[in-house]
Amino acid sequence: MSKQPLIVVRPYTPTDMAILEQTYDVYRLWEATDKVSFLRKFGPGVRALATDGEHGADAATMDLLPDLELVASFGVGLDAIDLSHARRRNIRVTHTPDVLTEDVADMAFGLLLACARRIPQCDSYVRQGRWLEGGPGLTTRVWGKRLGILGLGRVGRAVATRAEAFKLEIAYHDRCRFDDVHYRYFDDVAALALEVDFLVICASADTDTRGLIGSHVLDALGHDGMLINVARGAIVDEPVLLRYLREHLIAGAALDVFHNEPNIAREFGELDNVILQPHQSSATKETRASMGALVRDNLSAYFAGRPLLTEFLGPVR
């Protein structure tokens, strides 16, 4: 029995790739020097495309696959997939929510602690032998402070659970108020920023949130405020954030996501009041294994004619 063809946009883990290649006739798009020619040659007859949250699938790619019926993404974010075009072509889209929630929330809270207590900077201070000069100065308390969460979805709620253990006063902004939580709700993100010490971004990137964190929000966050982003770089106006960090108009930031990853703005590396991570929030062995398994389970379900496990059926923005 012949294998179903499957185009893979970017390599998954070696284990995931080995399993996919046992099951499908895999075409490795990332190895093609001319991707358009590659898709024109191998695209006809291909019903499924496996991608990830960073590379997604744009309209041009989908249109080079005339028989495409499924885009299976390794990641929860869907901003790199042209969902409107997929809907127009009746292409179904799956992603990997839930399995990465707790690890992303761990990273968010770890970054908050690292930013407030300046953990990486103090580590460097000791390594450089500067402790002999005296202490590195005072840092900022976390427990009992005020936390604002932008986006009270799966990750936002998991961050809030951790924050409760630190006795933080929690507030949030989302498209709507949720009746099942007791946290204070703000219908404007700048109004939220004005009332908190730490602002954690957990929202999805779409037309409503792109560039949402600009000067008006950072002004409200203020000189003592700190920004943590584990969502998408596109939500933040990066040139504005760099200026606010450079001029110490906010106290600091901790970022796991950026524009133009991995070719991020060099100035970030020159600033002492920002903590940088290479998009590592879900990068644990356990979570990545679960994400890979969920991609495979969605592919298996599709080709077997069973219901998809985690099909995206939400509104397209």
Side-chain angles (χ1 to χ4, degrees):
M1 182 175 178
S2 62
K3 298 177 181 178
Q4 288 281 356
L6 174 70
I7 290 179
V8 181
V9 173
R10 293 293 298 172
Y12 297 158
T13 68
T15 298
D16 289 324
M17 290 304 302
I19 297 172
L20 286 176
E21 287 170 346
Q22 288 173 2
T23 311
Y24 303 101
D25 187 6
V26 171
Y27 294 93
R28 299 172 167 233
L29 182 59
W30 73 91
E31 293 181 348
T33 54
D34 185 340
K35 291 180 172 51
V36 171
S37 296
F38 181 94
L39 291 171
R40 284 176 175 160
K41 179 179 179 180
F42 298 110
V46 171
R47 297 163 58 200
L49 176 79
T51 187
D52 61 18
E54 180 182 353
H55 297 89
D58 58 17
T61 298
M62 294 185 215
D63 285 345
L64 288 166
L65 302 171
D67 302 304
L68 186 66
E69 297 175 354
L70 175 70
V71 173
S73 183
F74 181 100
V76 66
L78 295 166
D79 49 299
I81 298 174
D82 192 328
L83 295 172
S84 296
H85 194 70
R87 289 272 172 91
R88 285 192 293 271
R89 282 198 46 193
N90 294 315
I91 296 169
R92 302 168 75 182
V93 176
T94 63
H95 58 153
T96 58
D98 297 318
V99 295
L100 50 69
T101 297
E102 301 300 334
D103 277 349
V104 175
D106 278 354
M107 177 64 84
F109 217 84
L111 287 175
L112 191 159
L113 286 166
C115 190
R117 300 303 301 269
R118 292 179 60 82
I119 293 172
Q121 295 91 333
C122 290
D123 176 88
S124 295
Y125 192 88
V126 174
R127 291 176 185 274
Q128 294 166 7
R130 297 177 59 196
W131 198 0
L132 296 170
E133 305 167 9
L138 301 179
T139 62
T140 298
R141 171 186 290 173
V142 172
W143 74 267
K145 290 287 186 104
R146 302 168 302 168
L147 173 68
I149 300 173
L150 173 59
L152 200 68
R154 298 177 182 89
V155 173
R157 288 169 183 252
V159 170
T161 298
R162 287 154 176 76
E164 288 179 350
F166 279 76
K167 301 178 182 178
L168 284 159
E169 180 183 327
I170 303 166
Y172 73 99
H173 168 73
D174 209 307
R175 293 186 177 95
C176 61
R177 182 196 299 267
F178 296 102
D179 295 332
D180 61 335
V181 296
H182 61 274
Y183 313 132
R184 187 179 177 191
Y185 173 72
F186 288 84
D187 61 7
D188 178 78
V189 67
L192 171 66
L194 189 64
E195 297 294 326
V196 301
D197 303 296
F198 312 110
L199 180 61
V200 180
I201 304 173
C202 302
S204 58
D206 53 36
T207 55
D208 293 337
T209 60
R210 288 189 182 96
L212 180 61
I213 306 301
S215 57
H216 66 301
V217 176
L218 297 179
D219 281 337
L221 191 58
H223 288 83
D224 296 324
M226 298 180 184
L227 180 73
I228 294 89
N229 190 2
V230 293
R232 281 290 188 266
I235 298 173
V236 177
D237 187 330
E238 243 178 41
V240 169
L241 175 61
L242 281 165
R243 180 170 69 84
Y244 274 65
L245 289 168
R246 185 173 59 248
E247 298 177 11
H248 296 278
L249 299 175
I250 62 172
L255 311 171
D256 186 49
V257 288
F258 305 85
H259 289 251
N260 304 317
E261 297 174 9
N263 298 312
I264 72 170
R266 289 187 177 182
E267 189 177 354
F268 278 120
E270 301 167 359
L271 297 168
D272 184 51
N273 56 349
V274 60
I275 295 167
L276 312 174
Q277 286 288 297
H279 204 145
Q280 286 288 98
S281 286
S282 67
T284 65
K285 292 177 288 185
E286 298 86 353
T287 282
R288 290 295 170 86
S290 296
M291 291 168 69
L294 188 49
V295 169
R296 296 194 303 274
D297 289 345
N298 275 308
L299 288 167
S300 296
Y302 170 72
F303 285 117
R306 301 192 305 269
L308 298 173
L309 282 74
T310 51
E311 182 174 7
F312 177 75
L313 299 170
V316 175
R317 294 183 173 89

